[in-house]
């Protein structure tokens, strides 16, 4: 509660209004009756971005160049990671450009007359709620599969660049073939450290990705005012995002679901709930304006 309030106050929202925030739907932050935060309008598949980074921006499922052309020859992990950040920038700009067109389209075609009448300052400003008439405005969107991206790139770091267990071109072939006839190799990748188990190195890589994405969106002016506000509120989106993503170096098969929250990928948290929460606590959530960062923790009935 204090984290949400403080982050809203940092954006210029008065303390009284910030303390009255509510959750729209299930977990997107809003100031009731005074704001239009365009809740949950966007979705960025970060796990897919990590996948296409290995192929130089090419989508291996379709053969179509969907990302930046960053090449496929990397002599170090840092070169690979720099290419990943280039791809992140490419897709963040694409995401933002879509919403910068979509939101004015909604204003022109959908109206939202009742929301306009019942949202503070719209009548005073002479603007509808989707024309920036609200007292407080931001644009909220969701990020899927950051955990998968972190687990995958960490696996490449260990297997390709440190242990030299497999070359990057050969790994691309194995992934493109969905681990066919390579179950022993897949088990090796599955056994590598994963986010959600208190492993500092992979946790810090996850936090590095998270910080880059949160910072990037928070720095972008939103079309109605305010900024872009990211979050990790997954709903069932991890299933659809998984269906369009091929096999990944975390040991995941093609079309399998992504991580279902900001926690560990399914089945990969093996050191108990305390280790999982310690990993999540390394994420830089307090430094950014966010929707929510949801973490699913499940227990067996007998526990």
């Amino acid at each position: 509660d204090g984290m949400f309030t403080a982050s809203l106050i940092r954006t210029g929202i008065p303390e009284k209004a910030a303390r009255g925030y509510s959750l729209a739907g299930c977990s997107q932050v809003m100031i009731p009756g005074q704001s239009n935060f365009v809740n949950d309008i966007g979705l960025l598949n970060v796990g897919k971005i990590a996948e296409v980074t290995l192929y130089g921006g090419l989508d291996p499922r379709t053969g179509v160049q969907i990302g930046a052309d960053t090449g496929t020859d990397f002599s170090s992990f840092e070169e690979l990671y720099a290419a990943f950040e280039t791809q992140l920038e490419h897709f963040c700009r694409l995401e933002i450009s879509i919403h910068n067109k979509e939101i004015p389209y909604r204003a022109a075609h959908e109206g939202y007359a009742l929301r306009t009448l019942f949202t503070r300052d719209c009548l005073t400003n002479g603007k509808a709620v989707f024309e920036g008439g609200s007292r407080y405005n931001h644009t909220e969107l969701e990020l899927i599969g950051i955990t998968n991206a972190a687990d995958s790139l960490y696996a490449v770091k260990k297997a390709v660049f440190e242990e030299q267990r497999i070359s990057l071109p050969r790994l691309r072939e194995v992934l493109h073939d969905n681990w066919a006839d390579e179950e022993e190799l897949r088990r090796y990748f599955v056994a590598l450290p994963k986010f959600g188990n208190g492993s500092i190195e992979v946790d810090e890589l996850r936090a590095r990705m998270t910080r880059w994405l949160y910072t990037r969106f928070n720095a972008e002016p939103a079309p109605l005012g305010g900024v872009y506000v990211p979050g990790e509120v997954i709903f069932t989106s991890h299933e659809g995002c998984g269906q369009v993503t091929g096999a990944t170096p975390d040991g995941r098969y093609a079309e399998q679901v992504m991580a279902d929250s900001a926690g560990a990928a399914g089945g990969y948290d093996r050191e108990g709930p305390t280790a999982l929460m310690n990993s999540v606590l390394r994420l830089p959530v307090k430094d950014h304006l966010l929707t929510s960062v949801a973490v699913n923790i499940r227990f067996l009935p007998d526990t």
Side-chain angles (χ1 to χ4, degrees), residues 119-189:
T119 303
R120 293 278 178 87
D121 292 0
C122 285
L123 294 181
T124 303
N125 292 330
K127 293 181 179 180
V129 72
F130 266 85
E131 294 172 342
S134 304
R135 182 170 294 182
Y136 308 116
N137 295 279
H138 289 298
T139 297
E140 296 184 339
L141 48 82
E142 309 300 344
L143 308 174
I144 305 294
I146 307 178
T147 291
N148 300 92
D151 288 347
S152 292
L153 292 191
Y154 180 79
V156 174
K157 180 176 184 285
K158 297 298 288 187
V160 174
F161 295 106
E162 294 183 5
E163 298 180 5
Q164 298 183 342
R165 175 75 176 257
I166 188 172
S167 69
L168 195 54
R170 176 57 186 152
L171 177 59
R172 280 193 291 266
E173 292 176 358
V174 170
L175 296 175
H176 192 268
D177 293 337
N178 198 22
W179 302 101
D181 302 319
E182 292 289 355
E183 183 57 26
E184 182 179 350
L185 181 64
R186 193 187 77 85
R187 286 198 298 267
Y188 158 79
F189 275 91

Side-chain angles (χ1 to χ4, degrees), residues 24-303:
C26 65
S27 41
Q28 292 80 16
V29 177
M30 63 176 292
I31 312 297
Q34 305 177 59
S35 66
N36 181 11
F37 285 3
V38 200
N39 301 118
D40 209 32
I41 196 172
L43 186 69
L44 192 69
N45 186 346
V46 182
K48 180 71 180 181
I49 296 172
E51 179 195 16
V52 302
T53 300
L54 299 177
Y55 298 86
L58 188 80
D59 184 351
R61 297 174 67 252
T62 63
V64 175
Q65 185 78 24
I66 62 172
D69 184 1
T70 50
T72 58
D73 184 18
F74 306 107
S75 60
S76 68
F77 175 73
E78 284 303 321
E79 282 189 11
L80 172 64
Y81 195 83
F84 173 64
E85 288 193 344
T86 298
Q87 299 294 348
L88 287 179
E89 174 62 27
H90 171 86
F91 285 104
C92 285
R93 280 191 282 107
L94 178 60
E95 177 90 13
I96 290 162
S97 71
I98 289 170
H99 301 312
N100 286 346
K101 297 178 180 69
E102 176 187 9
I103 291 172
Y105 181 91
R106 288 173 181 263
H109 291 82
E110 298 184 13
Y112 296 98
L114 288 177
R115 282 184 62 184
T116 295
L117 290 171
F118 287 96
T119 303
R120 293 278 178 87
D121 292 0
C122 285
L123 294 181
T124 303
N125 292 330
K127 293 181 179 180
V129 72
F130 266 85
E131 294 172 342
S134 304
R135 182 170 294 182
Y136 308 116
N137 295 279
H138 289 298
T139 297
E140 296 184 339
L141 48 82
E142 309 300 344
L143 308 174
I144 305 294
I146 307 178
T147 291
N148 300 92
D151 288 347
S152 292
L153 292 191
Y154 180 79
V156 174
K157 180 176 184 285
K158 297 298 288 187
V160 174
F161 295 106
E162 294 183 5
E163 298 180 5
Q164 298 183 342
R165 175 75 176 257
I166 188 172
S167 69
L168 195 54
R170 176 57 186 152
L171 177 59
R172 280 193 291 266
E173 292 176 358
V174 170
L175 296 175
H176 192 268
D177 293 337
N178 198 22
W179 302 101
D181 302 319
E182 292 289 355
E183 183 57 26
E184 182 179 350
L185 181 64
R186 193 187 77 85
R187 286 198 298 267
Y188 158 79
F189 275 91
V190 168
L192 290 172
K194 299 288 190 292
F195 178 75
N197 296 285
S199 171
I200 293 178
E201 193 173 4
V202 68
D203 289 358
E204 288 181 347
L205 181 61
R206 169 57 154 101
R208 180 181 179 183
M209 293 180 182
T210 304
R211 183 176 294 105
W212 192 100
L213 285 159
Y214 289 0
T215 301
R216 177 66 179 87
F217 280 113
N218 277 177
E220 187 69 30
L224 299 182
V227 297
Y228 278 86
V229 183
E232 297 185 57
V233 184
I234 309 303
F235 304 115
T236 59
S237 303
H238 61 297
E239 181 178 359
C241 287
Q243 288 174 351
V244 299
T245 306
T248 44
D250 54 358
R252 183 186 144 275
Y253 287 113
E255 300 183 9
Q256 281 192 333
V257 297
M258 297 294 201
D260 67 356
S261 71
Y268 285 164
D269 50 328
R270 298 174 177 174
E271 298 298 325
T274 303
L276 172 60
M277 288 186 282
N278 281 335
S279 290
V280 172
L281 283 169
R282 292 193 175 102
L283 300 180
V285 294
K286 293 182 179 180
D287 302 329
H288 300 87
L289 181 64
L290 304 172
T291 66
S292 289
V293 177
V295 180
N296 288 341
I297 303 180
R298 295 172 299 281
F299 297 90
L300 295 171
D302 56 352
T303 304

